[in-house]
Amino acid sequence: MPNWLLTRTKPSYGAQALPGTPVALIVQKYGGTSVGDVERIKNVARRCLETQRRGNDVVVVVSAMSGETNRLLKLVAQISNHPNEREQDVVVATGEQVSIGLVALAIQAQKGKAESFLGSQCRIVTDSTFSKARIKSIDAERIFAALKKKHLAVIAGFQGVDEEGNVTTLGRGGSDTTAVAIAAAIKADACEIYTDVDGVYTTDPNVCPAARKLDKISYEEMLELASLGAKVLQIRSVEFAMKYRVPLWVKSSFTDDPGTLVCQEDSSMEDLVVSGIAFDKNEAKIAIRAVPDVPGVAARIFGALDEKAVVVDLIVQNVSKDGKTDVTFTVGKADIAKAREIVKKVAKAIGAKGVELDDQIAKVSIVGVGMRNHSGVAAKMFQVLAKEGINVQMISTSEIKVSCVIHSKYAELAVRALHSAFGLDQAVAG
Ligand code: ADP
Ligand code: ASP
Ligand code: MG
C-alpha cells in the first residue's frame, strides 16, 4: 500500500460517517438494476459523490445495465450453438464498458472528478478459463493514483485480462467478485454491494413475501446460500470476503436502509437451526443408464467433464443390479450442451445403455450453522415437501445444509412451505 494511504488517519468505516470524521476507503458496487437507465446512473453518481463528500475515498465498481449481458449472450447464441468462449467473453464484457463510461460522465456532470477503468487497465489478471475466469492478482497502483488525485475510480465489474492479454469474464454475477477482490487488494475498510433489495433476506423476498431481512449473516452461511443459488452475492465474492476478512455490506441503491453486514460469526447473531432457504433453477440433471459397475468408470465420466471445465454439483449412484448401475448428476444449465456431448461419448465408450437429460429441475436447500447441533432437520424437510405432494429426486447434505432436487414447477411452493415450517416467516403486523 502506498505511503499516502498509510499516513491517513486510522480509518473508521461508516458510509453514514459525518463530515469531519476520519476518512475511510470504501468500495461501492452497483448492480445492473442500479444502473438500469440514465436516471438511475445519475442516482449512482449522486450517491458516490455524497460518500466522497463525507470525506471518504471511493472506488466504484459497476455492472452492465440490467438485461444487457443477457442481450449480448443472445446475440452470441444467434451466431453459434457452441460459441468459442474467448470470443463470447469479448462480446459480453462490453456491457460493463458502457456502464463505467456513463457513470464517470454522470459524476463529471455533477461537478465531481472520476476516471473509468476497464479490467485490463487496472490489471485485474485472471486465469484463462473464459466465461468463468478466476482472479489471480490486481494492480492497485492505478486505483491509488486516481484516489490520490481525489478522483472517483470507476471500475468495470465482471471482466479481467489473462496473462496473454485476452479479455476474460468471471461468470454471471461476477461484478460482486470484482468489488470484493478490489476491496481486499486495496485493503478497503468496507465493501458495499448496492442492489435492488435492501439486504440479505432469509430467502429471496421476490419469491417469498414473508422473508425477513437479516441485520447480520456469517460468511459461512452466506457462502452456503450463495453457492446454493441465492444470487444476491456471487459465491466467489463471499469466498474473497471471508478469506481476506473484508467487511461486506449488502444495501439498496434506492433507500438509506443500513442493509445486511456479512461478517464473522458472533454471539449477537440469531440462534436459529435454519437461517435461510435458497433455490436454484439453473441446473439440469443428466442420468447415465446401466453403467458397468467396475472400478474407474466414475473417474472416466467426471474426469472427462472436469477436463472441459464443466462443474458438476450433486452426484448420485444407485446400488448396482446385475453389475450395472445408474449414475445421475447435475450441471449448470450454461454447460448442458457441452456436458451432453462429453457424456454421450464416454457412455458409448464404457458400454452404458444411454443418457437422459432433464432441465425441469430445481434444487431447494435449507441452510444454518445451527444444524450442527440438531438432529432431525433433514427428516423435517422431507416431511414438509411430502405434505405438499412434492417428490424428492436427489438429496445432498453437509454439516450446515440439506438440498433436495425437485421438479422446477414446485420450487416456489417448496421455498414458501419450508420458510414457514422452519419458523422464518416475519411476524405479520397488527
Ligand atoms: P444485481 O444486478 O444488483 O447484482 P442480482 O439480481 O444479481 O442484483 O441480485 C439481487 C437479487 O437476488 C434480488 O432481487 C433477489 O431476487 C435475489 N435474492 C435471492 N436470494 C436472496 C436473499 N436471500 N436475499 C436477498 N435477495 C435474494
Ligand atoms: N453483467 C454481469 C451479469 O449480468 C455481471 C454482474 O452483473 O455482476 O452477470
Ligand atoms: Mg448480481
Side-chain angles (χ1 to χ4, degrees):
M1 193 183 297
N3 280 341
W4 70 274
L5 265 177
L6 290 173
T7 53
R8 292 178 317 163
T9 326
K10 174 81 188 95
S12 99
Y13 163 71
Q16 285 82 29
L18 295 168
T21 53
V23 66
L25 178 55
I26 299 175
V27 176
Q28 297 191 330
K29 177 256 168 178
Y30 292 90
T33 324
S34 306
V35 293
D37 60 33
V38 168
E39 277 317 305
R40 289 181 174 185
I41 286 175
K42 289 179 183 171
N43 173 53
V44 164
R46 228 177 351 259
R47 294 184 81 107
C48 300
L49 279 170
E50 228 173 83
T51 312
Q52 190 193 40
R53 283 183 192 128
R54 285 195 204 108
N56 303 300
D57 288 320
V58 188
V59 175
V60 189
V61 173
V62 284
S63 294
M65 294 167 80
S66 60
E68 180 62 7
T69 308
N70 286 344
R71 186 185 76 82
L72 294 166
L73 280 168
K74 269 192 206 128
L75 285 178
V76 169
Q78 282 170 34
I79 304 271
S80 165
N81 288 334
H82 298 288
N84 173 295
E85 287 179 325
R86 178 186 182 278
E87 307 313 328
Q88 178 171 293
D89 274 0
V90 169
V91 176
V92 295
T94 60
E96 273 69 13
Q97 177 163 351
V98 172
S99 297
I100 53 168
L102 292 176
V103 169
L105 286 168
I107 292 169
Q108 290 164 5
Q110 292 175 33
K111 309 268 181 279
K113 289 181 177 166
E115 261 177 88
S116 65
F117 297 97
L118 293 168
S120 56
Q121 290 172 313
C122 45
R123 302 279 312 148
I124 300 181
V125 177
T126 69
D127 62 19
S128 303
T129 320
F130 297 108
S131 86
K132 43 187 160 207
R134 293 167 85 93
I135 296 176
K136 288 163 65 172
S137 63
I138 294 177
D139 177 3
E141 285 312 309
R142 197 91 192 255
I143 304 172
F144 286 137
L147 293 178
K148 193 175 178 186
K149 288 185 273 177
K150 287 290 161 200
H151 289 187
L152 284 130
V154 185
I155 301 174
F158 182 52
Q159 54 172 262
V161 62
D162 73 3
E163 305 275 9
E164 278 78 53
N166 300 301
V167 174
T168 56
T169 65
L170 310 180
R172 298 309 303 268
S175 301
D176 298 333
T177 300
T178 307
V180 181
I182 288 175
I186 65 175
K187 299 197 169 55
D189 301 302
C191 180
E192 301 173 338
I193 304 290
Y194 285 92
T195 184
D196 56 0
V197 286
D198 55 7
V200 178
Y201 280 68
T202 45
T203 192
D204 187 339
N206 291 316
V207 164
C208 180
R212 266 192 307 124
K213 201 192 81 184
L214 302 164
D215 294 333
K216 273 186 183 180
I217 184 168
S218 67
Y219 290 123
E220 215 179 345
E221 281 174 326
M222 191 62 241
L223 196 62
E224 205 68 51
L225 284 175
S227 75
L228 294 170
K231 69 169 182 163
V232 63
L233 288 174
Q234 199 201 34
I235 176 167
R236 290 280 297 145
S237 71
V238 189
E239 281 170 2
F240 264 109
M242 188 164 157
K243 185 164 172 192
Y244 297 102
R245 294 280 176 251
V246 177
L248 181 60
W249 291 84
V250 177
K251 294 164 177 262
S252 162
S253 58
F254 306 111
T255 70
D256 290 322
D257 192 284
T260 301
L261 175 63
V262 187
C263 59
Q264 260 179 297
E265 194 179 338
D266 69 41
S267 55
S268 74
M269 285 172 181
E270 289 179 64
D271 190 17
L272 295 167
V273 178
V274 171
S275 50
I277 316 249
F279 68 98
D280 192 348
K281 286 186 171 178
N282 268 318
E283 290 191 2
K285 190 174 76 174
I286 298 180
I288 316 177
R289 300 288 175 214
V291 174
D293 192 12
V294 291
V297 165
R300 258 177 97 173
I301 299 168
F302 296 108
L305 289 163
D306 181 51
E307 221 168 84
K308 297 282 181 212
V310 173
V311 179
V312 173
D313 184 16
L314 301 192
I315 304 175
V316 170
Q317 180 175 325
N318 292 355
V319 175
S320 78
K321 224 169 97 186
D322 309 324
K324 306 264 183 188
T325 180
D326 292 344
V327 176
T328 309
F329 57 93
T330 61
V331 296
K333 276 191 178 155
D335 281 336
I336 292 180
K338 210 174 10 167
R340 183 168 36 195
E341 213 171 281
I342 297 165
V343 169
K344 273 193 170 164
K345 266 192 211 144
V346 180
K348 199 167 168 203
I350 60 179
K353 197 168 144 208
V355 176
E356 285 165 22
L357 188 104
D358 180 359
D359 60 4
Q360 301 289 299
I361 60 158
K363 183 174 67 177
V364 178
S365 312
I366 56 174
V367 173
V369 287
M371 268 184 225
R372 289 189 194 119
N373 313 315
H374 285 80
S375 58
V377 182
K380 180 166 172 182
M381 178 177 190
F382 306 146
Q383 281 155 12
V384 173
L385 296 176
K387 204 169 145 226
E388 299 295 336
I390 301 171
N391 186 38
V392 176
Q393 303 175 14
M394 294 169 91
I395 299 166
S396 153
T397 63
S398 82
E399 216 190 4
I400 66 163
K401 70 114 202 245
V402 185
S403 299
C404 292
V405 170
I406 59 175
H407 193 289
S408 55
K409 69 181 174 192
Y410 296 125
E412 288 79 7
L413 172 66
V415 167
R416 288 194 282 262
L418 291 165
H419 196 269
S420 175
F422 282 100
L424 295 175
D425 286 1
Q426 59 177 317
V428 183

